[in-house]
Amino acid sequence: MEISSRTDRGLLRYETNLSPGLNVIAAPNSFGKSTLLQGVIYALGLEGMFSSSRKPPFGPALLTVADLPDGTRSPVRESWVSLTIANEQGAHMRCKRFVRGDGVDASLVMTWKAGSRGELDEASRVDMFVRQPGAAFRELGFHRELAEFLGWDLPVVPGFNAAEVSLYLEALFPLFYVEQKSGWSGVAPRMPTYLGIRDVLRRSVEYVLGLSALERLTALAAVKSEEDDVKKRWQSASDRLGEAAKSLNCRVFLHQENPVTPARRQHCVIEVMEEEAWIPLERQIGVWRQRLGELEQDGIEPAGEHTHQAREDLAAAETSVREVGGRIRLIDEQLNLSRTDSDALATRSASLDIERNRLADLRKLRSLGSTLGITSVSNDVCPTCGQLLDGRETATGIAADLEQTIAEIEAERETVRAATQSAERRRATLERNRSSLQAALHGAMRQARALRDELAGPSAVPSRAQVQQQILLASSIERAQRLLDLADEADEYFDELSRRWQDVRDRLADLRDGTLSRTDQQIVSRMNSSFQAQVQDYGLRSVPPSDLSINESALIPVNDGVELTFDLSMGISASDMIRTKWAYYLSLFEAAISSPRNRHARLLMLDEPRQQETDRRSLAAFVKRLERAAGSGCQVIYATSEDRRDLEEVLYNVEVAMLPANGSHLLAPVTG
């Protein structure tokens, strides 16, 4: 790794090789050791795990002015970070990113890839971008390349502002790095929320542990999307069929407006109103065809020969106009009454809601020990008849108590709701009947006009009424048959959708089973066992270590079902909070590497892990556990400002690589 800053007085640099095991950098606070850890994160474009800000997470030495060993300062002209990483397959990638550069934006990442470290110098450079839209999935997006290099296939998870979002790398690396300023402020990792990921910590831990719960969540989202698609398709087909039937003044009967399973499917029936009843359209088509056949067989008579019949037909048509018009007026009156009833029911429902809430408040007050009367929350009126209740006696001598009154109001609310739904259905039926009668009225009026014109016109011309009736019958038969054909096609489509609906509902039922798989339970159990063993070894004193556990659902440390936080009133000390944080990060690693689908980065970076003056014996036990993790393939970077003599006691008999920390500053002049 290399961190460089070019000043007017020359080049300053810090360069080190990080071993695969436990690396410790021990230096005073003024040294800038945090810059080493921040440099790793910055080179990988992951500073978004701290903040949505695009400001580089560095101090003046890389941004504005650098301190030199002779005590002077010099302006910074350019600065950059270069990092070489390797994956489990042995491939290497070098990343170089400018912190401050002349004409080079901080979003640019220069990359080199090769099969081995020695081949990197001869590899071709590929420029990519980071902290820009598309960096996680575009071809030249660096985080897409980094995830692929690590062998991670980042899933899509539920989000807040969108249906689904990617599980970004910035949401995963807080599980591998604890920074000094705010990283130790709680037990659970500090996660970025601006990424818009719902339950971001849980989703990230599930991914790192390789739990199938995350795959189940992804599958559930896909099935829900398929469920919505079936609903939309069903509703769209229903609307098309309904509009087509409405255009011919028909109605669709025995049809479910929402998706149902095949066992509940009923094939729809198209009905048309004739006289005062709804009859199947197929039967009416037969009547129309019979009439049309009779007209075609008899032929069109001259108007003069049809006069007597025309007068009778005119009288019948005028009678039909009067009768149908009267039925429409009756339906209009019924519609007005229905609307009035609906308004009254809505008013009554609102008053019942108010009275129910008042009585519920009174019940709550009484349960709390209040002896106030109903006047404090109610108008002292009967919720049924509205009469005042001041001293009124009942005929039976028995008055309903509070619970009985609430129960009666609830029953009446249910009755009002049922009556409201019934009124709405009746109004819809009346409106549909009125539409059909309106069409019949227009037909009768057209026939009456044609007959009047025929009686007033020349007697030698063909009967206009018969011609019009023949054309109308032929047109009605053709349009009705098209509607029936459309209904048949719709039935086939609904049958297909109902089978899909059954399949979707079955899969949803399986996926919504909240229990973890047996493998997932074993992984979480290992994490929990490791966590409890560690807090025991670290000397947790505030609560019995056995009382703490990893919640199987939220995947965070809990105490008696409550998220573990620093709280003196609950007896959790600040130093014990640090112990549980140590245990959480290491138990996550230990459980992850035991998982068949381990996705841990095998990296732990800890900046000043000894917080709150934690006991050194606890720290020594923690370092021993870190050594064990390093032996399992985890690269640990431990940064501290502790006194070297105190640190040597903690590191006694621990295999560790000490990183260079010479002088008072991280960056030193490059000589030669």
Side-chain angles (χ1 to χ4, degrees):
M1 178 183 181
E2 172 194 339
I3 303 174
S4 300
S5 179
R6 185 176 64 81
T7 71
D8 289 345
R9 299 274 303 278
L11 184 64
L12 304 177
R13 176 180 297 164
Y14 179 84
E15 190 171 7
T16 185
N17 289 323
L18 301 172
S19 72
L22 174 57
N23 301 265
V24 175
I25 178 169
N29 276 323
S30 60
F31 180 73
K33 56 182 171 41
S34 296
T35 303
L36 168 65
L37 305 183
Q38 292 167 347
V40 173
I41 295 300
Y42 184 78
L44 298 176
L46 294 167
E47 68 274 18
M49 60 187 280
F50 307 128
S51 165
S52 60
S53 171
R54 298 187 183 278
K55 182 180 178 181
F58 297 112
L62 292 175
L63 292 172
T64 54
V65 61
D67 293 323
L68 301 175
D70 58 7
T72 61
R73 292 186 166 187
S74 181
V76 174
R77 301 303 180 187
E78 272 187 329
S79 58
W80 61 89
V81 177
S82 179
L83 178 71
T84 300
I85 60 175
N87 60 21
E88 292 184 345
Q89 287 70 43
H92 284 66
M93 179 166 66
R94 180 179 297 155
C95 321
K96 182 177 181 180
R97 187 179 174 199
F98 278 83
V99 180
R100 177 172 181 174
D102 185 11
V104 181
D105 193 276
S107 298
L108 179 71
V109 181
M110 304 174 185
T111 67
W112 295 262
K113 287 177 62 178
S116 65
R117 185 184 182 92
E119 298 173 351
L120 283 175
D121 293 335
E122 300 177 359
S124 300
R125 189 182 95 185
V126 178
D127 289 346
M128 297 186 175
F129 61 90
V130 75
R131 301 303 305 277
Q132 296 286 333
F137 55 86
R138 298 287 291 273
E139 182 181 357
L140 294 179
F142 177 67
H143 279 179
R144 180 207 60 78
E145 177 69 21
L146 179 59
E148 183 178 312
F149 183 80
L150 295 175
W152 291 351
D153 183 14
L154 298 180
V156 174
V157 295
F160 288 106
N161 301 323
E164 294 178 332
V165 295
S166 174
L167 186 61
Y168 298 106
L169 291 176
E170 291 94 333
L172 295 174
F173 270 79
L175 302 178
F176 316 136
Y177 174 40
V178 187
E179 55 93 21
Q180 179 181 357
K181 290 183 179 179
S182 56
W184 299 101
S185 58
V187 176
R190 186 170 179 265
M191 306 296 290
T193 58
Y194 73 93
L195 298 172
I197 301 173
R198 192 183 297 274
D199 298 326
V200 57
L201 175 59
R202 178 182 174 186
R203 300 284 89 91
S204 298
V205 174
E206 286 174 344
Y207 182 75
V208 169
L209 291 176
L211 300 185
S212 62
L214 188 56
E215 295 179 356
R216 180 185 299 182
L217 181 69
T218 303
L220 182 61
V223 176
K224 283 184 176 179
S225 176
E226 189 175 351
E227 180 186 38
D228 292 338
D229 180 64
V230 174
K231 287 181 180 178
K232 291 177 182 177
R233 290 175 181 271
W234 189 289
Q235 189 61 54
S236 177
S238 296
D239 291 342
R240 288 197 304 270
L241 183 59
E243 289 297 323
K246 187 177 179 180
S247 67
L248 293 180
N249 299 301
C250 298
R251 72 173 185 180
V252 183
F253 186 60
L254 294 178
H255 170 62
Q256 296 94 341
E257 295 183 356
N258 296 309
V260 294
T261 58
R264 297 173 55 198
R265 262 285 288 144
Q266 290 181 305
H267 284 204
C268 58
V269 177
I270 306 297
E271 294 185 331
V272 63
M273 178 169 280
E274 183 66 19
E275 298 291 335
E276 298 183 7
W278 290 94
I279 63 174
L281 185 57
E282 293 96 331
R283 188 192 306 173
Q284 187 60 34
I285 289 178
V287 174
W288 289 339
R289 282 177 173 158
Q290 183 178 356
R291 291 179 186 173
L292 181 60
E294 292 173 354
L295 286 174
E296 291 176 344
Q297 184 177 1
D298 296 340
I300 304 299
E301 299 176 348
E305 297 179 10
H306 192 255
T307 301
H308 180 71
Q309 183 64 41
R311 289 194 179 102
E312 291 180 356
D313 291 343
L314 177 58
E318 290 174 341
T319 300
S320 178
V321 168
R322 290 192 296 271
E323 290 178 351
V324 174
R327 290 165 60 189
I328 290 175
R329 287 190 293 274
L330 179 60
I331 287 180
D332 287 339
E333 293 175 2
Q334 293 174 333
L335 280 171
N336 289 332
L337 290 174
S338 179
R339 294 188 185 99
T340 302
D341 290 343
S342 295
D343 293 341
L345 288 169
T347 302
R348 183 58 183 155
S349 178
S351 66
L352 286 172
D353 289 342
I354 294 172
E355 189 63 23
R356 194 267 179 200
N357 291 337
R358 286 174 175 167
L359 293 175
D361 290 342
L362 176 61
R363 179 171 59 184
K364 182 182 296 183
L365 289 175
R366 287 184 176 176
S367 68
L368 297 175
S370 173
T371 58
L372 296 176
I374 198 171
T375 54
S376 63
V377 292
S378 179
N379 294 326
D380 283 351
V381 295
C382 174
T384 302
C385 66
Q387 298 184 68
L388 293 176
L389 300 178
D390 49 344
R392 189 173 300 276
E393 296 181 357
T394 63
T396 61
I398 302 174
D401 60 12
L402 180 61
E403 293 298 332
Q404 185 177 351
T405 303
I406 292 177
E408 290 174 354
I409 288 178
E410 290 289 358
E412 186 177 356
R413 290 174 69 201
E414 289 298 323
T415 302
V416 169
R417 275 195 288 267
T420 300
Q421 294 173 356
S422 177
E424 291 175 352
R425 288 194 297 269
R426 173 169 170 74
R427 187 168 63 251
T429 300
L430 289 172
E431 289 175 348
R432 191 162 51 239
N433 291 349
R434 188 187 187 284
S435 176
S436 182
L437 288 172
Q438 193 71 38
L441 176 62
H442 291 160
M445 292 174 66
R446 284 196 303 270
Q447 185 180 13
R449 283 196 299 269
L451 289 167
R452 291 192 193 100
D453 292 342
E454 179 181 324
L455 291 172
S459 59
V461 299
S463 171
R464 180 177 299 182
Q466 288 184 333
V467 172
Q468 179 175 309
Q469 187 178 14
Q470 188 172 358
I471 294 174
L472 181 61
L473 285 171
S475 175
S476 297
I477 292 171
E478 181 182 358
R479 295 172 63 195
Q481 189 58 54
R482 284 203 301 267
L483 178 58
L484 290 179
D485 293 341
L486 178 63
D488 289 339
E489 294 175 3
D491 269 329
E492 293 179 3
Y493 188 54
F494 288 131
D495 286 340
E496 177 188 347
L497 289 179
S498 68
R499 289 190 291 271
R500 281 188 60 191
W501 182 254
Q502 179 73 73
D503 177 60
V504 166
R505 300 301 296 177
D506 290 344
R507 283 185 285 152
L508 276 178
D510 293 338
L511 291 171
R512 280 174 174 158
D513 180 10
T515 58
L516 294 176
S517 68
R518 185 172 182 178
T519 302
D520 287 356
Q521 289 177 344
Q522 292 173 346
I523 295 171
V524 176
S525 177
R526 291 191 193 100
M527 183 177 178
N528 185 61
S529 299
S530 171
F531 176 78
Q532 290 182 326
Q534 287 183 69
V535 292
Q536 175 79 41
D537 293 343
Y538 301 157
L540 187 76
R541 294 186 294 270
S542 298
V543 295
S546 58
D547 287 356
L548 304 185
S549 62
I550 300 297
N551 181 271
E552 191 177 82
S553 174
L555 299 174
I556 58 175
V558 295
N559 177 21
D560 195 20
V562 179
E563 181 179 353
L564 193 61
T565 58
F566 168 57
D567 189 346
L568 291 177
S569 64
M570 295 293 292
I572 305 298
S573 68
S575 60
D576 275 346
M577 182 186 69
I578 300 302
R579 292 181 176 92
T580 56
K581 197 172 187 79
W582 295 344
Y584 184 77
Y585 274 82
L586 271 176
S587 63
L588 176 63
F589 167 74
E590 292 175 3
I593 62 173
S594 69
S595 168
R597 292 177 292 187
N598 164 39
R599 295 174 182 121
H600 199 283
R602 295 183 179 271
L603 171 70
L604 276 178
M605 299 193 301
L606 308 170
D607 195 354
E608 294 290 0
R610 183 174 182 251
Q611 301 283 318
Q612 305 298 332
E613 297 300 320
T614 309
D615 185 80
R616 293 191 182 280
R617 288 172 296 181
S618 300
L619 183 64
F622 174 55
V623 171
K624 277 289 186 183
R625 198 87 179 198
L626 286 176
E627 182 188 29
R628 191 167 119 188
S632 300
C634 183
Q635 186 174 46
V636 183
I637 306 175
Y638 182 114
T640 180
S641 58
E642 286 197 76
D643 183 86
R644 291 295 293 265
R645 287 173 297 181
D646 295 334
L647 184 63
E648 286 174 359
E649 294 181 10
V650 172
L651 297 179
Y652 177 73
N653 207 25
V654 174
E655 186 176 348
V656 60
M658 299 297 298
L659 301 180
N662 303 319
S664 58
H665 299 290
L666 178 75
L667 300 178
V670 177
T671 59

